[in-house]
């Protein structure tokens, strides 16, 4: 091996700690040896279906064991997993598959219909892998080789595929362990989607750490609270909306074994943190994105209240700086930061300068070096942990025949933190219902604006650039209940 | 930063966790912020003395806080620490300094006299660093840049400088954490020498993990037992002779907080392991060497007795194989393995083939992949954790005027595990005393043979190669008490 090579992770893990529990789902569990056997069976079937090293394969699937077998199987083959947000429409998914030049789409039974609506690509069910020829896995992984792709939008509304290498995932797992510690009896509850970096990174940590993952198909505050109360689980990843629901349902206390509530998706409101403190819940607020392969900045629980609103300090192998005197764009660097977007030389040139990734988010550092995120990247709306880009919704709205121009902004929502609101100029009166119906065909449900507001004109600056923050102010002043 | 760069470790650590305890020595302790300040003061003084980035600096010092400040200070400057075994003679040390092209030798008061005996190189005392100009440390470390050099001998008797890069130390620390886990309250007791990789690697783990090191100047079984009994310490690195002494002294039990007895330097005898089991002491047997920047293979405590004599399985990012059908040379690979010996192109060509490092040790793997080390590299004698190479002693003996030829082998010793015994052919009767006196001038005390045996001829094979194993058999049959 040279320094960029590593032993095949799952093979090595099944060799080193075969009898440790790797995965628990409902009433079933798998050791690493069993997980490896299931994975090899999946790899054999996928390989027999024509998937080869270097292929890009869409994965459209729920949080189920088969999805995890599939993720690992693609790594055994050396194919790249294009993790598809299952909330997207068939049209949105097709666009990503085409953009990445994907060879196959893999789907589970729940997504069969959506997969069938996608044309021009071979589809493979991952419901039940048939027995096949024994599969010979790769001996080594190469650290700078792509492992997974996840699409994320930008201010232009055109989603870009973030390339996550094996090295990105490995160093992310290690950086997190250096920060959170690593206990032999750790169990990480995964109720966040496997197609997001939040969920996918838990699976990577599992194989790298030799750690049990407790997988939930859906978020269920009551059942999750039970797992945290009875001591089955030591760590969980959540977004604010999940934590809020869990606290509403919580009657008892979490087990002393439970040691980390890893909170992503924007700063948490004070009352929520106060509640956590009263219940002795160790909250680690984080800042991260698809491009950093999970958290890159984390706030230790002892600072949760004194550094309210801060995302904390970088992981050990990472660095953060601000492009500007006081406030400015947040720049990050570290071995977990993506090497770039798939087939987007221009975006890469803009985003990566002198080894620093330009996040597009605005922030400041206090005198002790704690990061405060002031504004997510250029009008990004974070709704229940999902990223929504106004430009994408605006381009759908302006494709409606009567709409002349449109501006979308995030407005506060008690349940989701934020939801999109659309302002538009049209050549005739339109109903919210017909616009919502039109958007629902083109956009994942969570992106469909919660409010449609017809106006005479949109606020623009001298160079005719849409001023979305003025829309937000307009909402606050005129429309908020 | 590019992917090979990392934030300056100590600067980053002092930024991330300034108030955590970094170091405890006797009654004093230092937080990471304090350690960093002491280090910058040392770096300022060393820099003012002319030490520059890329210089090789000998470090001849005891296990004292100042030695740790010096190790870190050299990293701040970007100079390479040539860690000198303080048991070596001035002559042996001078040879290493010359071989490495060292610019300076740094010494503490205890080694002042030995340092003064070394000519032709600038020497600097590290007893007390004067206040100087503020020092500006490096922002980043480069992973493939040399960090430290430690000399190790080989079958030829000519010591070679092992280059340990920042990346070697980093990945060694990480691989160890993935295996042993990492707790926020970990404290690692260091009573092994800082000039050995066993001690140096503890200091590197300290800064990478943000972990407290409890430093002992000398091994003291009673005081160390106290630390393990009262719960001050969670992990300790030992060799068999140390563990044996500690068990002899132990009257009570170690604290439940104590979680890892990391045992290096060859397989432990069964009675010792049985005693540990009776006392619930979690022993992790390991296999490693200077070239692997610390352990590379480790046996988990649950296998201590069932896999008796095994060194275990490789760390997660590493691999081990045997060059041969059943038994053969042990080959290792991993990011913690040295990239080579300093200025030794021929040795490097021999030792590194297809990405595997040829250890020279002989071993076998059982059906489950556990490594058994059958013979340390070509007649290596391990005495109380120190490596002794017979060829080096033989060449000193044959430089004595009356000695015609000599053969050295390791023979069992209750205290040290093994000690060197010398067989020689001479042209007149010689006394052990005069030979011992002669050797003591040329060799570190631990290398001076415990026994001198005059013989008529040495066992050699057809091609006249000395058969050292026959010497060992001869000792067993004719001389052992």
């Amino acid at each position: 091996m040279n320094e960029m090579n590593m032993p095949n992770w799952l093979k090595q893990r099944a060799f080193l700690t075969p009898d440790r529990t790797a995965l628990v789902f409902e009433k079933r569990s798998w050791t690493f040896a069993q997980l490896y056997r299931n994975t090899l069976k999946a790899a054999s079937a996928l390989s027999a279906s024509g998937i080869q090293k270097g292929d890009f394969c869409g994965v459209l699937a729920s949080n189920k064991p088969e999805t995890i077998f599939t993720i690992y199987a693609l790594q055994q083959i050396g194919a790249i997993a294009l993790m598809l947000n299952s909330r997207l429409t068939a049209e949105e998914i097709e666009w990503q598959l085409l953009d990445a030049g994907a060879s196959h789409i893999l789907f589970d039974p729940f997504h069969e219909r959506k997969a069938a609506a996608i044309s021009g690509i071979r589809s493979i069910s991952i419901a039940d892998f048939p027995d096949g020829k024994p599969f010979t896995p790769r001996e080594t992984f190469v650290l700078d080789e792509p492992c997974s792709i996840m699409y994320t939008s930008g201010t232009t509304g055109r989603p870009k595929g973030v390339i996550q290498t094996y090295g990105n995932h490995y160093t992310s797992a290690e950086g997190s362990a250096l920060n959170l510690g690593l206990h032999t009896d750790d169990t990480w509850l995964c109720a966040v989607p496997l197609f997001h970096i939040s969920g996918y990174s838990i699976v990577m940590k599992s194989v790298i750490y030799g750690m049990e993952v407790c997988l939930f198909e859906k978020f269920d505050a009551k059942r999750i609270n039970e797992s945290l109360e009875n001591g089955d689980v030591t760590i969980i990843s959540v977004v604010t909306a999940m934590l809020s629901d869990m606290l509403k349902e919580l009657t008892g206390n979490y087990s002393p074994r439970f040691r980390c509530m890893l909170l992503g998706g924007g700063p948490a409101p004070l009352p929520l943190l106060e509640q956590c403190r009263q219940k002795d819940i160790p909250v680690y607020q984080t800042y991260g994105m698809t491009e950093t392969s999970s958290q890159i900045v984390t706030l230790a629980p002892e600072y949760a209240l004194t550094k309210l609103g801060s995302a904390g300090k970088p992981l050990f192998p990472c660095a953060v700086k601000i492009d500007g005197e006081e406030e400015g764009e947040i720049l990050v660097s570290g071995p977990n930061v993506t090497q770039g977007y798939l087939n987007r030389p221009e975006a890469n040139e803009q985003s990566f300068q002198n080894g620093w990734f330009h996040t597009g988010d605005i922030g400041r550092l206090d005198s002790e070096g704690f990061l405060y995120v002031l504004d997510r990247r250029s009008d990004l709306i974070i709704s229940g942990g999902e990223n929504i880009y106004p430009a994408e919704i605006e381009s759908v709205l302006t494709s409606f025949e009567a709409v002349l121009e449109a501006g979308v902004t995030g407005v506060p929502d008690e349940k989701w933190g934020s939801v999109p609101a659309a302002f538009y100029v049209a050549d005739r009166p339109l109903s919210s219902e017909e616009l919502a119906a039109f958007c629902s065909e083109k956009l994942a449900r969570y992106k469909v604006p919660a409010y449609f507001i017809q106006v005479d004109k949109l606020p623009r600056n001298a160079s005719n650039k849409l001023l979305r923050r003025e829309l937000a102010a307009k909402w606050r002043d005129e429309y908020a209940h």
Side-chain angles (χ1 to χ4, degrees), chain A:
Chain A
M1 299 200 292
N2 66 39
E3 63 193 280
M4 289 302 284
N5 286 13
M6 282 197 68
N8 171 334
W9 295 346
L10 185 57
K11 184 177 183 210
Q12 176 83 336
R13 184 45 70 194
F15 163 55
L16 295 180
T17 56
D19 302 325
R20 274 198 209 164
T21 303
L23 177 62
V24 170
F25 180 75
E26 293 171 357
K27 300 276 173 231
R28 289 178 293 163
S29 78
W30 290 260
T31 64
F32 279 102
Q34 292 165 334
L35 181 60
Y36 186 46
R37 277 200 292 278
N38 279 289
T39 294
L40 290 184
K41 198 176 150 191
S44 171
L46 294 176
S47 174
S49 300
I51 293 177
Q52 297 181 345
K53 188 170 190 316
D55 283 349
F56 289 80
C57 298
V59 177
L60 180 62
S62 310
N63 274 21
K64 296 264 204 149
E66 288 70 25
T67 309
I68 291 183
F69 305 156
T70 300
I71 286 171
Y72 283 131
L74 291 173
Q75 296 186 356
Q76 300 305 311
I77 296 171
I80 298 117
L82 165 48
M83 301 305 296
L84 296 162
N85 187 329
S86 59
R87 294 167 192 157
L88 298 182
T89 63
E91 205 172 306
E92 290 172 314
I93 288 171
E94 197 172 290
W95 190 92
Q96 293 188 10
L97 292 168
L98 271 173
D99 184 70
S103 62
H104 294 77
I105 179 169
L106 316 183
F107 63 92
D108 69 7
F110 190 79
H111 297 92
E112 189 165 7
R113 195 189 279 181
K114 198 178 269 183
I118 293 161
S119 56
I121 189 161
R122 289 194 55 188
S123 64
I124 303 174
S125 164
I126 59 166
D128 192 26
F129 293 109
D131 280 316
K133 280 196 295 189
F135 179 82
T136 307
R138 307 196 282 163
E139 281 301 313
T140 52
F141 289 172
V142 182
L143 290 182
D144 62 1
E145 179 191 1
C147 172
S148 53
I149 304 281
M150 294 177 196
Y151 273 76
T152 175
S153 293
T155 47
T156 61
R158 198 180 154 77
K160 301 188 289 287
V162 177
I163 303 169
Q164 294 154 343
T165 61
Y166 286 89
N168 289 149
H169 290 303
Y170 190 73
T171 54
S172 166
E174 286 183 325
S176 178
L178 289 181
N179 186 41
L180 303 178
L182 181 59
H183 299 187
T184 312
D185 64 352
D186 271 336
T187 297
W188 202 307
L189 194 151
C190 177
V192 286
L194 291 172
F195 57 72
H196 274 178
I197 187 59
S198 54
Y200 192 95
S201 65
I202 296 172
V203 178
M204 295 304 97
K205 288 183 180 101
S206 167
V207 67
I208 293 165
Y209 299 167
M211 178 187 71
E212 178 178 331
V213 168
C214 177
L215 183 69
F216 273 66
E217 187 174 358
K218 293 205 156 31
F219 175 69
D220 178 333
K222 264 192 190 158
R223 281 186 50 220
I224 288 174
N225 275 343
E226 276 168 32
S227 296
L228 272 50
E229 285 168 324
N230 68 20
D232 286 349
V233 164
T234 61
I235 308 180
I236 185 174
S237 299
V238 296
V239 295
T240 307
M242 292 165 71
L243 177 55
S244 174
D245 279 2
M246 286 161 65
L247 288 173
K248 268 181 213 141
E249 294 288 343
L250 186 62
T251 50
N253 282 299
Y254 294 149
S255 160
R257 277 198 67 219
F258 176 69
R259 68 184 189 86
C260 173
M261 177 77 75
L262 201 67
L263 176 62
L270 179 59
L272 197 67
L273 295 173
E274 286 281 10
Q275 260 185 288
C276 288
R277 198 190 46 161
Q278 279 160 24
K279 294 249 170 205
D280 270 336
I281 300 172
V283 178
Y284 290 75
Q285 294 178 84
T286 67
Y287 169 68
M289 61 209 80
T290 310
E291 287 91 336
T292 60
S293 316
S294 167
Q295 26 145 358
I296 186 161
V297 175
T298 305
L299 186 69
E302 58 262 41
Y303 296 109
L305 295 171
T306 54
K307 294 286 180 182
L308 186 77
S310 170
K313 291 184 178 179
L315 298 183
F316 186 76
C318 304
V320 171
K321 68 177 185 182
I322 298 297
D323 189 10
E325 283 297 310
E326 292 234 331
E327 288 181 23
E329 187 173 8
I330 301 170
L331 314 186
V332 296
S333 73
N336 52 325
V337 175
T338 181
Q339 288 168 31
Y341 300 106
L342 188 65
N343 310 322
R344 292 285 193 284
E346 278 183 28
N348 288 337
E349 212 169 290
Q350 280 184 358
S351 297
F352 298 89
Q353 286 163 29
N354 304 316
W356 292 88
F357 172 66
H358 290 240
T359 64
D361 296 336
I362 305 298
R364 68 176 179 87
L365 297 170
D366 73 8
S367 60
E368 293 175 86
F370 285 86
L371 176 69
Y372 290 76
V373 181
L374 302 173
D375 218 346
R376 287 309 289 248
R377 67 185 94 174
S378 332
D379 315 305
L380 172 65
I381 303 166
I382 304 182
S383 184
E386 292 282 0
N387 288 352
I388 304 175
Y389 294 88
E392 190 180 4
I393 306 175
E394 289 159 7
S395 77
V396 167
L397 278 169
T398 51
S399 72
F400 189 79
E401 38 86 23
V403 173
L404 302 175
E405 46 178 335
V408 172
T409 187
V411 300
D413 181 85
E414 204 174 310
K415 180 164 177 56
W416 302 113
S418 187
V419 291
F423 292 77
Y424 65 94
V425 180
D427 57 12
R428 60 176 167 87
L430 297 172
S431 78
S432 293
E433 289 68 27
E434 62 187 318
L435 284 171
F438 179 76
C439 286
S440 299
E441 281 169 32
K442 309 273 184 183
L443 293 168
R445 187 174 306 169
Y446 66 87
K447 296 180 192 170
V448 175
Y451 309 98
F452 293 91
I453 296 152
Q454 195 159 7
V455 290
D456 290 339
K457 65 181 179 71
L458 294 174
R460 294 188 181 273
N461 70 5
S463 40
N464 211 36
K465 195 175 175 301
L466 179 65
L467 299 171
R468 293 200 187 90
R469 290 183 208 187
E470 293 203 7
L471 291 178
K474 192 176 174 67
W475 170 269
R476 208 167 43 237
D477 298 342
E478 301 173 29
Y479 298 93
H481 325 288

